[in-house]
Amino acid sequence: MLLPTDDRAFKLAVELAVTLPSVDDPQEAVELVRAAHQVCPYSNATRGNVDVSLTANGRSVEEASEPVRA
């Protein structure tokens, strides 16, 4: 997404809805997505520069050390 800023510019934001059909436990799905987000090279390259919102099997994933910004 492109989000407008206060200074009439734009910034990037991403919403990533992850579906893990083989994972029945909702908390396990959240933990898997959270762990993947920490080691993903794209996540590491954009961390702090792009707002990211993650869901796992329909549940919100919030980073303990880095709050997800919407």
Side-chain angles (χ1 to χ4, degrees):
M1 293 178 284
L2 287 175
L3 302 176
T5 63
D6 291 336
D7 59 352
R8 300 182 64 174
F10 291 93
K11 65 180 181 176
L12 293 175
V14 174
E15 288 183 12
L16 184 59
V18 179
T19 302
L20 302 169
S22 63
V23 179
D24 293 327
D25 180 7
Q27 189 57 38
E28 181 182 3
V30 165
E31 293 302 323
L32 286 169
V33 171
R34 182 179 291 131
H37 182 54
Q38 290 304 307
V39 298
C40 172
Y42 293 103
S43 294
N44 289 330
T46 61
R47 188 167 284 118
N49 297 314
V50 176
D51 292 345
V52 177
S53 174
L54 300 169
T55 60
N57 290 353
R59 295 187 71 173
S60 177
V61 176
E62 294 191 25
E63 300 299 314
S65 61
E66 175 184 279
V68 174
R69 298 170 289 178

